Amino acid sequence: MKFAKTHTLKEISEIIACDFVGDENFPVLGMNEIHVVEEGDIVFVDHPKYYDKALQSKATVVLINKEVECPEGKALLVSDDPFRDFNKLTRHFKPFETAAASIAESAEIGEGTIIQPNVFIGNHVKIGKNCVIHPNVTIYDRCILGDNVTIHAGTVLGADAFYYKNRPEGFDKLLTGGNVVIENNVDIGAGCTIDRGVTASTTIKEGSKLDNQIQVGHDTIIGKKCLIASHVGIAGCCIIEDEVTLWGQVGITSGATIGKKAVILAQSGISKSLEGGKTYFGYPAEEAREKLKQIAYIKKIPEILKKLKKI
Amino acid sequence: MKFAKTHTLKEISEIIACDFVGDENFPVLGMNEIHVVEEGDIVFVDHPKYYDKALQSKATVVLINKEVECPEGKALLVSDDPFRDFNKLTRHFKPFETAAASIAESAEIGEGTIIQPNVFIGNHVKIGKNCVIHPNVTIYDRCILGDNVTIHAGTVLGADAFYYKNRPEGFDKLLTGGNVVIENNVDIGAGCTIDRGVTASTTIKEGSKLDNQIQVGHDTIIGKKCLIASHVGIAGCCIIEDEVTLWGQVGITSGATIGKKAVILAQSGISKSLEGGKTYFGYPAEEAREKLKQIAYIKKIPEILKKLKKI
Amino acid sequence: MKFAKTHTLKEISEIIACDFVGDENFPVLGMNEIHVVEEGDIVFVDHPKYYDKALQSKATVVLINKEVECPEGKALLVSDDPFRDFNKLTRHFKPFETAAASIAESAEIGEGTIIQPNVFIGNHVKIGKNCVIHPNVTIYDRCILGDNVTIHAGTVLGADAFYYKNRPEGFDKLLTGGNVVIENNVDIGAGCTIDRGVTASTTIKEGSKLDNQIQVGHDTIIGKKCLIASHVGIAGCCIIEDEVTLWGQVGITSGATIGKKAVILAQSGISKSLEGGKTYFGYPAEEAREKLKQIAYIKKIPEILKKLKKI
């Protein structure tokens, strides 16, 4: 996420009350998680294992818990608790705004769009033209919907990411300042939950169609023309490429990429990235043909045992 | 679905601007999908593979993309795109009506029925006597509920069928003009989604009890006295016969019939129809006893490998 | 559940119009199901198989369908249908109260707590300080939430237990007079359903974090600092001990206990209690390492068949 205006390194260090390494006027344009970071952004890192990755990322400001050597052309924010201070920045730049009404005054709603009763539309939400938002839908702050989008009843767009740091005193939540972006011609069924990105956007691209009770985690990107059946659960930070088909009750682990035109049969469990253009089945999922062979093999075991007895 | 009054073949052909074969006064009573079609109905077909099935169905008017020989006593509507024109008819006869209020004036609500706050009840909905509709429930237009029905919070009755035609330019949605019918003494838990039928009714028969977060697809029929645990997903066009028990997280593929008094154990995946009176388990599901044997067999493989080494 | 004041055995017998064995002034303090029964409570039993268990439980008043010998220091209520009469008592002492408004006047809401639009809060609900209740949440009567609790949109706390007696004329529902208790620092995602206890409380203890679309059955107790991913289904009367991790789409059968610090991998099906401190996988679930070995073994079957042919 980008800030509304460019801030200086000094200004940022004052917000979180920490030291910095670099020119006090070093420009800071935004803040992001490591996998979506861009030039001008702050990234945070609190484990030596990931120092190098953060320092060598596109981020130009690294919020870090040790004063390390600062790479050329970058700056450091040195904090005893980067996680806590990243949350402080989120709270500062994207504070939670209590709703004054069911439909926020700051929401922009396009021509021809129908908002049914009992819908909640948060602050700064943008909805395109000719959409239908069915009853009891919740759209959290700053989500963006394109044109010709249908959202069925009870669906929730933009709840918090499920992202916690395990501290001795309890789970500490990473605050989420991102949003959900739904492109043109997307249909989303009833009772779905699409979490917003931590700093970036959870995105469902043009023409994809989702059935009911689907879960999409934070920062996941679903490509164009995907077809997703009900009760599918997609964890955070996944990439579902274009024209993927996911049948009912499929589960996909966080960070996995599902290649273009892959088909995943019902109830499969995906624990790693999969190549496109193939059909998968089972948990752990394999190519469907191979998996079905294995199922047939199991039935041959009694026969094997009989033969072995004879020998 | 039946039209409010009988139309002539000519009237229908004018609505969709297509040619027809047959008497211009040929009576047209309604329109339906092939699996629920009745005499007097229009059915649509756009693939030569299914021409015969459509022409020989109970439908008396066939909306088709080729001028074929018209069966005796029937009529044809000849269109370059029957799918598009079937949608045109749905839009004409069952147009989407924006809600004027959370509870439609045209809704009929029986004596003794309690409607809790934040409920949406669409146009022409009928609810019987002594029902309880808990908060944040959504009941789409034209759904029908019997007496002594309980619907728990957040449940959605009557969202659109998940039914698309894959066109080069994107998925094209089949519009749904059907409804949901809930018979007497049915309980439905919280957070369920029951889609409406495309042209007919998705039906839950007398005395069945559904737990929370259950998905029921379009046109599915659930029999009497069924017991369905939470997170079960039943696809479209299924028939669940009377007194069936489905345990948690079971998934059933579209079009399957589950026979009377069948019991399906938790997390099973049903990819084809199953005989009644038996207990099933696994995916692909088999009789539970057989499946449990197979699981035991797998554990004998190390022993088999040992024996083979010795030989 | 305890009554607001102590009643006499005679008063109770008059409410349900049944006979009693014992002093007419015998004190009755409350009513509970067998697994949570305390001294002074009524318990019900209607099957000879469970007579002894009920008579020897902590309950001091046994609602039973046969005049058996009354244990020392206890009393009996003798009814032709204890299930029906237990329901009568629930209806008498915890009658369903129709809501007069979206937020009940009798609800107590702590300082600093934000209630977003379209939320339903039932009668006698208590919510602590600094909570956020997001839009379209439903909180049924008498639920209790601690401090710093976040409930995301569309979640339902306190719907009825899924608990029926199978009678020849249909399923007869056990009425639920219990509630849901959410302790301090708990986060619950969007679209979750947590059913209330039958007579006691479904409880989520301090610091636990639940993702979206999770189902928790009646009377289940979730310990401290548990982490539960989306689409997990936990049946009724389970005990999930502290610091348990349940990954996505896990299902747990009713009555199971999951030991402290257990980790259950995604999509696993738990059909019995599991020891703490271990990682489990599959359905039926076993220790993950063992299960993964079995999956590898299956792939050796073709090789085994080849070898056997040679012999």
Side-chain angles (χ1 to χ4, degrees):
Chain A
M1 79 200 197
K2 295 299 166 198
F3 302 141
K5 65 179 191 86
T6 301
H7 292 266
T8 66
L9 187 61
K10 187 153 183 265
E11 282 167 3
I12 300 292
S13 77
E14 282 165 357
I15 293 166
I16 58 178
C18 77
D19 293 330
F20 62 86
V21 174
D23 188 304
E24 68 172 47
N25 290 316
F26 193 93
V28 189
L29 282 66
M31 58 189 283
N32 261 318
E33 268 200 298
I34 186 79
H35 70 291
V36 286
V37 88
E38 295 172 2
E39 214 174 309
D41 285 351
I42 305 167
V43 78
F44 83 95
V45 64
D46 57 6
H47 196 294
K49 197 175 154 186
Y50 301 113
Y51 281 1
D52 272 359
K53 196 178 170 191
L55 291 163
Q56 286 155 25
S57 72
K58 287 187 191 162
T60 37
V61 182
V62 180
L63 173 56
I64 190 167
N65 53 348
K66 194 186 168 188
E67 196 179 324
V68 295
E69 202 184 333
C70 183
E72 180 74 25
K74 302 204 172 185
L76 304 180
L77 292 158
V78 184
S79 151
D80 62 317
D81 193 336
F83 185 96
R84 177 202 63 207
D85 287 343
F86 199 76
N87 271 350
K88 255 191 215 168
L89 291 174
T90 300
R91 211 176 278 115
H92 182 90
F93 289 106
K94 299 270 156 131
F96 177 68
E97 300 176 44
T98 306
S102 291
I103 298 181
E105 263 194 53
S106 58
E108 297 172 29
I109 296 170
E111 212 185 306
T113 285
I114 295 165
I115 311 287
Q116 292 281 76
N118 300 359
V119 167
F120 172 82
I121 297 179
N123 302 295
H124 318 297
V125 165
K126 288 180 195 175
I127 303 180
K129 295 176 192 169
N130 301 317
C131 296
V132 183
I133 313 297
H134 285 281
N136 288 312
V137 163
T138 298
I139 304 178
Y140 282 67
D141 292 5
R142 292 186 298 273
C143 291
I144 297 171
L145 282 69
D147 301 334
N148 303 310
V149 168
T150 299
I151 310 287
H152 276 286
T155 280
V156 176
L157 305 181
D160 290 352
F162 191 68
Y163 190 141
Y164 295 91
K165 185 177 177 71
N166 193 353
R167 297 195 191 262
E169 65 274 23
F171 291 112
D172 193 9
K173 180 169 164 176
L174 188 67
L175 296 180
T176 41
N179 71 348
V180 171
V181 174
I182 308 289
E183 294 189 355
N184 298 344
N185 303 313
V186 167
D187 292 350
I188 298 181
C192 292
T193 54
I194 320 280
D195 285 348
R196 67 173 176 269
V198 168
T199 56
S201 300
T202 305
T203 304
I204 301 182
K205 291 191 179 165
E206 193 160 349
S208 280
K209 310 293 182 184
L210 278 68
D211 201 351
N212 301 335
Q213 300 201 42
I214 289 162
Q215 149 73 3
V216 179
H218 67 91
D219 294 290
T220 282
I221 294 171
I222 295 177
K224 293 179 188 177
K225 279 197 67 173
C226 290
L227 209 59
I228 305 183
S230 79
H231 279 137
V232 165
I234 305 174
C237 300
C238 289
I239 297 174
I240 312 297
E241 293 185 354
D242 296 349
E243 297 178 58
V244 164
T245 303
L246 305 178
W247 291 114
Q249 298 177 328
V250 160
I252 300 180
T253 199
S254 64
T257 295
I258 308 300
K260 190 173 173 179
K261 295 198 183 192
V263 174
I264 302 183
L265 301 182
Q267 293 193 331
S268 296
I270 310 305
S271 53
K272 58 177 206 294
S273 295
L274 295 176
E275 261 180 62
K278 294 178 178 171
T279 299
Y280 298 92
F281 177 50
Y283 183 25
E286 301 182 51
E287 278 199 65
R289 206 180 310 179
E290 175 55 26
K291 202 77 180 183
L292 291 170
K293 269 188 207 165
Q294 289 172 21
I295 291 166
Y297 287 148
I298 294 171
K299 299 187 180 181
K300 293 194 171 169
I301 298 175
E303 188 193 325
I304 290 171
L305 289 168
K306 243 190 232 167
K307 274 192 185 167
L308 274 178
K309 254 191 186 164
K310 278 186 192 165
I311 294 169
Chain B
M1 80 200 194
K2 295 301 167 197
F3 302 141
K5 65 179 190 88
T6 301
H7 293 266
T8 66
L9 187 62
K10 186 152 182 266
E11 284 167 2
I12 300 292
S13 76
E14 282 164 357
I15 292 167
I16 57 178
C18 78
D19 294 330
F20 61 86
V21 174
D23 188 304
E24 68 171 45
N25 291 316
F26 192 94
V28 188
L29 282 65
M31 58 190 284
N32 260 318
E33 269 200 297
I34 187 78
H35 70 291
V36 285
V37 88
E38 295 173 1
E39 215 175 307
D41 285 352
I42 304 167
V43 78
F44 83 94
V45 64
D46 57 7
H47 196 293
K49 197 174 155 188
Y50 301 113
Y51 281 1
D52 273 0
K53 195 178 171 191
L55 291 161
Q56 286 155 27
S57 72
K58 287 186 190 163
T60 37
V61 183
V62 181
L63 171 57
I64 190 167
N65 53 348
K66 194 185 168 189
E67 195 179 325
V68 296
E69 202 184 331
C70 182
E72 179 75 25
K74 300 204 173 186
L76 304 180
L77 292 157
V78 184
S79 151
D80 62 318
D81 193 337
F83 185 96
R84 178 201 63 209
D85 288 344
F86 199 76
N87 271 349
K88 256 191 213 168
L89 291 174
T90 300
R91 211 176 278 115
H92 182 90
F93 289 106
K94 298 270 156 130
F96 177 69
E97 301 175 46
T98 305
S102 290
I103 299 182
E105 263 194 55
S106 58
E108 297 173 27
I109 295 169
E111 212 185 307
T113 285
I114 295 165
I115 310 288
Q116 291 282 75
N118 301 359
V119 167
F120 172 82
I121 298 179
N123 302 294
H124 317 298
V125 165
K126 288 179 195 174
I127 302 179
K129 295 176 191 166
N130 301 317
C131 297
V132 183
I133 313 297
H134 285 281
N136 289 311
V137 163
T138 299
I139 305 178
Y140 282 68
D141 293 6
R142 292 185 301 271
C143 291
I144 297 171
L145 281 70
D147 301 334
N148 303 310
V149 168
T150 298
I151 309 288
H152 276 285
T155 280
V156 176
L157 305 180
D160 289 352
F162 191 67
Y163 189 140
Y164 295 91
K165 186 178 177 70
N166 193 352
R167 298 194 190 262
E169 66 274 21
F171 291 112
D172 192 10
K173 181 169 163 177
L174 189 67
L175 297 178
T176 41
N179 70 349
V180 171
V181 173
I182 308 289
E183 294 188 356
N184 298 342
N185 303 314
V186 166
D187 292 350
I188 297 182
C192 292
T193 55
I194 320 280
D195 285 348
R196 66 174 178 268
V198 168
T199 57
S201 300
T202 305
T203 303
I204 301 181
K205 291 192 180 165
E206 193 160 346
S208 280
K209 309 295 181 184
L210 278 68
D211 200 351
N212 300 335
Q213 301 201 41
I214 289 162
Q215 149 73 4
V216 180
H218 67 91
D219 293 291
T220 282
I221 294 170
I222 294 177
K224 294 180 187 175
K225 279 198 66 173
C226 290
L227 210 58
I228 304 182
S230 79
H231 279 137
V232 165
I234 306 174
C237 300
C238 289
I239 296 173
I240 313 297
E241 293 185 353
D242 296 349
E243 296 178 57
V244 163
T245 302
L246 306 177
W247 291 113
Q249 299 177 329
V250 160
I252 301 180
T253 200
S254 64
T257 295
I258 308 300
K260 189 172 172 176
K261 295 199 182 190
V263 174
I264 301 183
L265 300 183
Q267 292 193 332
S268 297
I270 310 305
S271 54
K272 58 178 211 292
S273 294
L274 295 176
E275 261 181 62
K278 292 178 180 172
T279 299
Y280 299 92
F281 177 49
Y283 183 26
E286 302 182 51
E287 278 200 64
R289 207 180 310 178
E290 175 56 28
K291 202 76 181 184
L292 291 169
K293 270 188 207 165
Q294 289 172 21
I295 290 166
Y297 286 148
I298 293 171
K299 299 188 180 181
K300 293 194 172 171
I301 298 175
E303 187 194 327
I304 291 171
L305 288 167
K306 243 189 232 172
K307 274 189 187 170
L308 274 177
K309 256 193 185 164
K310 280 185 192 168
I311 294 169
Chain C
M1 81 199 195
K2 296 300 166 198
F3 302 141
K5 65 179 190 87
T6 302
H7 292 265
T8 66
L9 187 62
K10 187 157 182 262
E11 282 168 3
I12 299 293
S13 77
E14 281 164 358
I15 292 167
I16 57 179
C18 78
D19 293 330
F20 62 87
V21 175
D23 187 304
E24 69 171 45
N25 291 315
F26 193 94
V28 188
L29 282 65
M31 57 190 284
N32 261 317
E33 269 200 297
I34 187 79
H35 70 291
V36 285
V37 88
E38 295 172 1
E39 215 174 308
D41 285 352
I42 304 167
V43 77
F44 83 95
V45 63
D46 57 6
H47 196 293
K49 196 175 155 187
Y50 301 113
Y51 282 1
D52 271 359
K53 195 178 170 192
L55 291 162
Q56 286 155 24
S57 72
K58 286 187 189 163
T60 37
V61 183
V62 181
L63 172 56
I64 190 166
N65 53 347
K66 194 186 168 188
E67 196 179 324
V68 296
E69 202 185 330
C70 182
E72 180 74 25
K74 300 203 172 185
L76 303 181
L77 291 157
V78 184
S79 150
D80 62 317
D81 193 337
F83 185 96
R84 177 201 65 208
D85 287 344
F86 199 76
N87 272 348
K88 255 190 215 169
L89 291 174
T90 300
R91 211 177 278 116
H92 182 89
F93 289 105
K94 299 270 158 128
F96 177 69
E97 299 175 45
T98 306
S102 291
I103 298 182
E105 263 193 54
S106 57
E108 297 172 27
I109 295 170
E111 213 185 306
T113 285
I114 296 165
I115 310 288
Q116 292 281 76
N118 301 358
V119 167
F120 172 82
I121 297 178
N123 302 294
H124 318 298
V125 165
K126 288 179 193 173
I127 302 180
K129 295 176 191 167
N130 302 316
C131 298
V132 184
I133 313 296
H134 286 281
N136 288 311
V137 164
T138 299
I139 304 178
Y140 282 67
D141 293 6
R142 292 186 299 273
C143 290
I144 297 171
L145 281 69
D147 300 334
N148 303 309
V149 168
T150 299
I151 310 287
H152 276 285
T155 280
V156 176
L157 305 180
D160 289 352
F162 191 68
Y163 189 141
Y164 295 92
K165 187 179 177 69
N166 194 352
R167 296 193 190 264
E169 64 276 20
F171 291 112
D172 192 9
K173 180 170 164 176
L174 188 67
L175 297 179
T176 41
N179 70 348
V180 171
V181 173
I182 308 289
E183 295 188 355
N184 297 342
N185 303 314
V186 166
D187 292 350
I188 298 182
C192 291
T193 55
I194 320 280
D195 284 349
R196 67 174 177 268
V198 168
T199 57
S201 301
T202 305
T203 303
I204 300 182
K205 291 192 180 165
E206 194 161 345
S208 280
K209 309 294 180 183
L210 279 67
D211 200 351
N212 301 334
Q213 300 202 41
I214 289 162
Q215 149 73 5
V216 180
H218 67 91
D219 294 291
T220 282
I221 294 170
I222 294 178
K224 293 180 188 176
K225 279 196 65 173
C226 290
L227 209 58
I228 305 182
S230 79
H231 278 137
V232 165
I234 305 174
C237 300
C238 290
I239 296 172
I240 313 297
E241 294 185 352
D242 295 349
E243 296 176 58
V244 163
T245 303
L246 306 177
W247 290 114
Q249 298 178 329
V250 160
I252 300 181
T253 200
S254 64
T257 294
I258 308 300
K260 190 173 172 176
K261 295 199 182 190
V263 175
I264 302 182
L265 300 183
Q267 292 194 332
S268 296
I270 310 306
S271 54
K272 58 179 207 297
S273 294
L274 295 176
E275 260 181 62
K278 293 178 179 173
T279 300
Y280 298 92
F281 177 50
Y283 184 26
E286 301 183 51
E287 278 200 64
R289 206 180 310 179
E290 176 55 28
K291 202 76 180 184
L292 291 170
K293 269 188 206 166
Q294 290 172 22
I295 290 167
Y297 286 148
I298 294 171
K299 298 189 181 181
K300 294 196 171 170
I301 299 175
E303 186 194 327
I304 290 170
L305 288 168
K306 243 189 232 171
K307 274 190 187 170
L308 274 178
K309 254 192 187 164
K310 280 187 194 166
I311 294 169

